Amino acid sequence: MGILDLSRRTLLSRFGGLAMAPRVLFGGAAHAQDHRLEAEWLATAGVEGGFAPVMLSPDFSATQVKAGVQRLHWVEPNPDGRTAIAVARRPGTTAVLFARHSGTVLATFEPGADRVFSGHGRFIEGGRRFLAVEIERESGKGIVTRRVVEADFAIEAEWASSGIGPHDMLPAGGVLVVANGGIEPHTPEALGAEIAGASIARLDTETGAVRSVAELEPDFASLSLRHLSSGHDGLTVVAAQDLLADGEARPLVFAVEGERLRAFEAPDEEWRQLRTYVGSVAVDASGAYVAAASPRGNRVAIWKRDGHFLGSLPLVDGCGLAPTREAGQFLATSGLGEVALLKADDEGVGVIARRSGGPRFDNHAALAVN
């Protein structure tokens, strides 16, 4: 069965309503909602007056939670299905806890003294603890903090991330995987840098002890390792940004295999079309496919889990990626307010639904836990 056959049938049977004018709830704070909000995906976006968490319903309608002035980056759904946390990215210092079914902001908290958030955090222990990645302002050294949710997010433990410039982290394969990005891209220090100093650290989830640190081969030393995703069966992937824009086609997606980073494969021209920048990566619900989005390259590329390249799709300023509940599907969002549903199978990739008119989505989207 090919993508086109599936796309046409799916579009008619499941997303026929998308051809109508969008039911856009976006534009006002969600406090006054008189019904329970249906959040299938969570994201953040630039809105009038600042930045806000955004909830996307199954028909792609976007509902804004109260806005703030700091740029919010990743939204982490609580496994309890009732709340979520949006985390500011560097140099931001705010994390926002909100109720998913009402849109009410419940609490905010800040990083440790003289630190900033990196934009990512994760619930663990069924939502009783929250891990956040923080960066020391002066040194760039990374700290992972473990916080107690019921104690107003008080810090109960701090661990070194074993690298500089950490950005993302997630529990996978019985350890905590941290992407130490090295030199922060788009800074004066990063301009033309041949060595980013990036690494992938694997930490003990109970003590923070270092299990291993994986580094890239010398030919790829200019890559900053930034974003992570994992499948239910343990597949973990990391996406990179290249600090050295010298026209060389370097891989920008790797599988994390213990102390080894295995590069995904793609034709050189496909890597070049990502324009040295992958801003988001996701593993689908089955664990069989991996997608990476480049807002700079205006496209989303998709691979099989073994690193075999399947194809790419255009999406102007597209960056947010999340799995759906179906195998081979991804939700993609763009900074121009577009939402697209992508489908991959072993024959190729395609778009099966699109909707425009939403807010200016930031880098990430997450499948909500119901």
Side-chain angles (χ1 to χ4, degrees):
M1 180 173 61
I3 290 295
L4 293 178
D5 294 336
L6 178 61
S7 301
R8 187 178 303 110
R9 182 169 61 253
T10 304
L11 180 63
L12 293 174
S13 64
R14 296 193 56 207
F15 295 94
L18 295 178
M20 303 170 62
R23 180 178 64 86
V24 179
L25 301 176
F26 186 81
H31 300 272
Q33 297 298 326
D34 58 0
H35 59 277
R36 290 168 64 89
L37 300 171
E38 294 183 90
E40 182 70 1
W41 297 277
L42 304 169
T44 61
V47 300
E48 184 176 356
F51 302 88
V54 172
M55 292 179 281
L56 285 165
S57 65
D59 71 352
F60 301 167
S61 296
T63 302
Q64 169 192 340
V65 178
K66 185 178 180 181
V69 298
Q70 293 191 3
R71 179 183 172 186
L72 301 170
H73 196 58
W74 171 260
V75 179
E76 173 73 0
N78 191 321
D80 67 8
R82 295 178 296 176
T83 62
I85 292 178
V87 185
R89 60 157 294 146
R90 188 177 186 176
T93 56
T94 295
V96 179
L97 173 73
F98 63 94
R100 280 180 34 195
H101 295 306
S102 65
T104 303
V105 173
L106 301 174
T108 62
F109 57 94
E110 298 180 347
D114 299 322
R115 299 182 201 149
V116 296
F117 283 130
S118 77
H120 290 266
R122 304 282 179 174
F123 281 106
I124 59 171
E125 299 181 10
R128 296 186 297 276
R129 300 288 191 276
F130 187 77
L131 300 176
V133 183
E134 305 179 13
I135 302 173
E136 291 181 355
R137 290 181 186 273
E138 295 299 324
S139 67
K141 291 182 179 177
I143 304 291
V144 177
T145 55
R146 188 175 69 192
R147 297 166 181 268
V148 182
V149 173
E150 290 190 351
D152 296 328
F153 295 91
I155 297 174
E156 65 172 357
E158 296 184 351
W159 309 324
S161 73
S162 292
I164 60 172
H167 188 70
D168 197 359
M169 54 96 185
L170 54 75
V175 297
L176 181 65
V177 181
V178 183
N180 290 300
I183 300 174
E184 181 76 3
H186 319 302
T187 60
E189 296 79 13
L191 184 61
E194 296 184 357
I195 299 177
S199 66
I200 297 294
R202 299 167 68 246
L203 309 182
D204 187 288
T205 56
E206 297 293 329
T207 67
V210 180
R211 297 280 188 86
S212 67
V213 177
E215 297 180 347
L216 293 163
E217 298 175 7
D219 288 348
F220 306 144
S222 61
L223 301 184
S224 171
L225 299 171
R226 305 289 291 173
H227 292 112
L228 295 159
S229 183
S230 65
H232 59 82
D233 61 350
L235 172 67
T236 302
V237 294
V238 61
Q241 298 172 20
D242 196 348
L243 305 185
L244 193 59
D246 58 356
E248 290 293 322
R250 298 182 178 88
L252 298 176
V253 179
F254 296 81
V256 179
E257 299 178 339
E259 299 182 11
R260 173 175 176 260
L261 299 174
R262 173 173 54 83
F264 275 28
E265 299 177 351
D268 284 356
E269 184 57 26
E270 292 289 344
W271 290 124
R272 289 193 180 94
Q273 290 195 58
L274 300 181
R275 298 187 62 188
T276 74
Y277 185 103
V278 170
S280 184
V281 65
V283 178
D284 82 309
S286 70
Y289 301 98
V290 176
S294 171
R296 185 178 297 173
N298 299 315
R299 60 202 310 104
V300 177
I302 301 179
W303 290 262
K304 295 175 67 173
R305 62 174 291 142
D306 63 2
H308 174 75
F309 181 71
L310 285 175
S312 60
L313 299 162
L315 183 63
V316 176
D317 201 24
C319 194
L321 282 174
T324 75
R325 303 186 195 281
E326 297 190 22
Q329 285 192 4
F330 296 94
L331 178 91
T333 59
S334 86
L336 301 183
E338 186 169 16
V339 180
L341 194 63
L342 313 181
K343 174 68 179 179
D345 64 21
D346 289 351
E347 298 178 26
V349 300
V351 178
I352 56 177
R354 285 183 183 271
R355 183 171 189 164
S356 59
R360 295 178 288 114
F361 293 103
D362 200 81
N363 282 49
H364 300 298
L367 180 65
V369 179
N370 293 323

